[in-house]
């Protein structure tokens, strides 16, 4: 019981090693070039969504802001610059979830998600944020499984979710494996873009956007 209590209550700080990306090449005067420009891939689903909806929606704005804030973070990676990046990662997760629950629950989860980022910033404790980052996709996958219109998308959603995490935490290994062509973190941006695009397609199929 003591070990379980310690596991639940023990603070998980943000690992400072996360900011030390292997690919720090400067190209055309832009430092960390690949980690910055790979965020363009994240912006593409936002433009696709705007074209489909023929308007700028809250979801498309959040996707664009994620691409922008992630690029800003990679100009000078540190705890301060990653704050907005994390904010829009969580915002997109909660906005997508809001399409699968009623409005009141969606608003509540959205507020919880935003608070989880501020909680990390104030106390350097990631547990709340990481829990929501895992719980929200799991719930969304469960909802897809229940719907025969889109349950065939479950496998690619799960694969992309795994690839995002694997590439994110194997930045150096992937860079070496590809002979310095692309790092794990740059690849993460591309997988995230594909994941966002797939989510938009699913929401289209469900008639939610």
């Amino acid at each position: 019981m003591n070990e379980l209590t310690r596991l639940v209550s023990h603070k998980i700080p943000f690992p400072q090693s996360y900011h030390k990306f292997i690919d720090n090449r400067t190209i055309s005067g832009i430092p960390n070039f690949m980690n910055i420009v790979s965020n363009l891939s994240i912006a593409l689903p936002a433009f696709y969504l705007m074209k489909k909806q023929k308007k700028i929606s809250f979801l498309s704005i959040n996707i664009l802001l994620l691409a922008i804030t992630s690029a800003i973070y990679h100009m000078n990676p540190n705890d301060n610059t990653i704050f907005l990046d994390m904010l829009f990662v969580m915002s997109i997760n909660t906005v997508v979830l809001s399409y699968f629950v009623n409005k009141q629950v969606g608003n509540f989860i959205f507020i919880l998600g935003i608070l989880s980022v501020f909680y990390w910033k104030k106390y350097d404790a990631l547990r709340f944020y990481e829990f929501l980052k895992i719980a929200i996709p799991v719930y969304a996958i469960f909802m897809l499984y229940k719907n025969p219109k889109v349950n065939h998308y479950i496998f690619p959603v799960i694969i992309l979710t795994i690839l995002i995490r694997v590439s994110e935490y194997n930045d150096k290994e992937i860079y070496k494996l590809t002979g310095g062509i692309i790092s794990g973190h740059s690849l993460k941006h591309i997988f995230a873009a594909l994941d966002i695009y797939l989510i938009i397609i699913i929401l289209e199929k469900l008639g939610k956007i």
Side-chain angles (χ1 to χ4, degrees), residues 2-3 25 52 66 117 166 179 182 200:
N2 288 338
E3 183 61 24
R25 290 174 291 177
K52 282 288 181 182
L66 174 61
V117 183
V166 169
I182 191 167
I200 291 171

Side-chain angles (χ1 to χ4, degrees), residues 5-23:
T5 302
R6 186 198 66 78
L7 186 64
V8 172
S9 62
H10 186 63
K11 183 174 78 170
I12 303 176
F14 195 99
Q16 293 305 299
S17 59
Y18 184 88
H19 302 308
K20 297 175 182 177
F21 302 106
I22 185 66
D23 190 356

Side-chain angles (χ1 to χ4, degrees), residues 43-53 197 200-201 204:
L44 292 177
F47 293 123
Y48 171 80
L49 180 58
M50 285 188 281
K51 183 179 178 182
K52 282 288 181 182
Q53 294 184 303
Y197 174 72
I200 291 171
I201 295 298
E204 276 189 273

Side-chain angles (χ1 to χ4, degrees), residues 10-94:
H10 186 63
K11 183 174 78 170
I12 303 176
F14 195 99
Q16 293 305 299
S17 59
Y18 184 88
H19 302 308
K20 297 175 182 177
F21 302 106
I22 185 66
D23 190 356
N24 54 14
R25 290 174 291 177
T26 297
I27 301 175
S28 300
I30 302 174
N32 308 315
F33 180 84
M34 287 299 294
N35 280 339
I36 291 174
V37 299
S38 57
N39 281 289
L40 290 172
S41 63
I42 294 176
L44 292 177
F47 293 123
Y48 171 80
L49 180 58
M50 285 188 281
K51 183 179 178 182
K52 282 288 181 182
Q53 294 184 303
K54 296 181 172 58
K55 65 178 183 178
I56 299 174
S57 63
F58 190 56
L59 179 56
S60 61
I61 281 292
N62 272 269
I63 297 168
L64 277 176
L65 287 173
L66 174 61
I68 292 168
T69 54
S70 180
I72 291 171
Y73 162 63
H74 284 288
M75 291 178 185
N76 181 24
N78 60 65
D79 281 1
N80 292 323
T81 55
I82 203 173
F83 172 71
L84 287 177
D85 185 13
M86 291 172 63
L87 203 61
F88 287 107
V89 166
M90 185 53 67
S91 181
I92 289 173
N93 272 273
T94 53

